[in-house]
């Protein structure tokens, strides 16, 4: 999150995250096993937290690692979580594990994105789905959501585009609500402003429950090789202590039918 958009003091930041998570002071006090009075004093600045208390509150509020460091600094403590570049030598084991995971998923597409949906890594299958996208959308940093919904990106290829678009916007809204990240809010505003391709109705199919089943909704792409129907799963690194790793998301696509599996196997064999 952009630190300039955040409150300054520890108490203000704590109140911000409590409200972001829709906790009352009493609810948070009970969850953190602290008195409501003490919590009120922490938010007002009448009291300062211990490091252990701060981390307990951040854990109960599920504050992202990046913002836990901001809370620690605001309270006068040193940051706890590292913030390395993904090309840092110390992250080599994680990078290797990520690449092995992506490669092992072939002949199906898989990719990894950062907290703003910029592409970090992908296996060899992904470029095969992007051949008809405008070159400017493929230039680094490649934003996966922008590429998907842009009229010169994948949007013209997507069957039932309004439904898939609504699914992605709902997913982005949940992420923005969880993080309070203004960059994600700006991205959502940009995506909502994209026009639909000519001839595409601006309505969601009533029989598609895109918000309650975000993992199972199929992505149907009309490609020269035929219609590919894909479902996706999401994965993250377990128990990360580095901010960059904590913000990575790995999306793996699987064929939703036998015909798609056959086409993807044939495409992989041609590489």
């Amino acid at each position: 999150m952009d630190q300039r958009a955040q409150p300054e003091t520890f108490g203000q930041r704590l109140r911000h995250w409590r409200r972001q998570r829709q906790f009352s002071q009493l609810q948070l006090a009970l969850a953190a096993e602290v008195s409501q009075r003490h919590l009120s004093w922490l938010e007002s600045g009448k009291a300062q937290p211990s490091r252990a208390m701060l981390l307990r509150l951040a854990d109960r509020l599920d504050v992202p690692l990046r913002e836990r460091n901001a809370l620690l600094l605001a309270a006068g403590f040193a940051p706890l979580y590292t913030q390395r570049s993904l090309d840092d030598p110390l992250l080599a084991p994680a990078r290797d594990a990520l690449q092995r995971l992506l490669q092992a998923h072939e002949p199906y597409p898989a990719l990894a994105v950062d907290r703003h949906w910029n592409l970090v890594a992908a296996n060899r299958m992904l470029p095969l789905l992007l051949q008809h996208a405008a070159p400017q959308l493929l230039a680094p940093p490649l934003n996966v959501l922008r590429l998907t919904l842009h009229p010169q990106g994948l949007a013209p290829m997507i069957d039932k585009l309004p439904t898939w678009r609504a699914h992605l916007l709902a997913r982005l809204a949940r992420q923005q609500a969880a993080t309070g990240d203004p960059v994600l809010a700006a991205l959502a505003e940009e995506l909502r402003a994209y026009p639909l391709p000519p001839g595409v109705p601006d309505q969601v199919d009533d029989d598609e429950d895109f918000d309650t089943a975000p993992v199972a909704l199929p992505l149907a792409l009309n490609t020269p090789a035929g219609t590919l129907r894909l479902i996706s799963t999401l994965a993250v690194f377990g128990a990360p202590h580095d901010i960059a790793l904590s913000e990575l998301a790995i999306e793996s696509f699987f064929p939703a039918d036998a015909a798609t599996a056959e086409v993807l196997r044939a495409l992989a064999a041609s590489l």
Side-chain angles (χ1 to χ4, degrees):
M1 187 185 303
D2 185 346
Q3 298 300 325
R4 294 171 297 181
Q6 279 278 26
E8 295 298 326
T9 69
F10 168 77
Q12 290 171 337
R13 288 177 180 270
L14 177 60
R15 185 184 300 113
H16 165 82
W17 282 106
R18 177 177 62 77
R19 291 174 174 173
Q20 189 80 13
R21 296 296 186 256
Q22 299 183 347
F23 272 58
S24 68
Q25 280 190 346
L26 178 58
Q27 288 171 324
L28 179 56
L30 291 172
E33 299 179 345
V34 61
S35 73
Q36 184 179 357
R37 181 182 182 185
H38 184 58
L39 182 60
S40 176
W41 283 9
L42 290 176
E43 289 192 357
S44 67
K46 293 180 180 179
Q48 288 297 310
S50 67
R51 188 170 181 270
M53 174 58 69
L54 184 155
L55 293 174
R56 188 193 311 170
L57 290 168
D59 182 68
R60 299 302 185 273
L61 292 171
D62 194 24
V63 177
L65 300 192
R66 180 182 297 273
E67 303 311 323
R68 296 189 192 200
N69 274 353
L71 283 169
L72 286 163
L73 285 169
F77 299 107
L80 176 62
Y81 303 99
T82 60
Q83 187 174 352
R84 298 184 175 92
S85 169
L86 286 173
D87 58 5
D88 189 297
L90 291 177
L91 292 185
R95 287 198 311 274
D96 292 344
L98 174 61
Q99 200 57 47
R100 285 197 297 271
L101 179 63
L102 296 176
Q103 291 173 350
H105 194 64
E106 295 178 4
Y108 310 135
L111 63 145
V113 295
D114 65 15
R115 66 190 177 119
H116 294 145
W117 290 85
N118 294 316
L119 185 69
V120 171
N123 64 15
R124 298 181 304 163
M125 299 302 295
L126 185 67
L128 297 178
L129 305 180
L130 310 180
Q131 297 179 35
H132 300 286
Q136 66 268 23
L137 295 174
L138 302 176
L142 189 164
N143 186 276
V144 171
L145 292 186
R146 183 177 292 118
L147 174 67
T148 302
L149 297 182
H150 197 282
Q152 295 180 317
L154 296 183
M157 301 169 57
I158 298 176
D159 191 32
K160 298 184 179 180
L161 175 61
T163 300
W164 187 255
R165 178 176 179 270
H167 155 63
L168 290 184
L169 290 175
R171 185 163 142 186
L172 183 58
R174 289 192 295 270
Q175 183 185 355
Q176 199 279 326
T179 63
D181 192 330
V183 175
L184 294 178
L187 177 61
E189 184 177 358
E190 175 190 339
L191 298 179
R192 284 193 294 267
Y194 287 164
L196 293 171
V200 175
D202 187 11
Q203 61 185 28
V204 176
D205 287 350
D206 293 336
D207 60 345
E208 294 283 11
D209 191 356
F210 58 86
D211 195 37
T212 58
V215 178
L217 180 70
L219 168 64
L221 289 174
N222 297 313
T223 74
T227 299
L228 302 179
R229 293 176 55 80
L230 303 163
I231 57 175
S232 68
T233 61
L234 295 172
V236 296
F237 277 91
H241 272 219
D242 183 89
I243 291 174
L245 289 186
S246 74
E247 295 173 342
L248 281 184
I250 304 160
E251 186 155 21
S252 303
F253 289 90
F254 293 85
D257 54 41
T260 297
E262 183 178 350
V263 170
L264 290 175
R265 285 193 293 267
L267 288 174
S270 68
L271 292 175

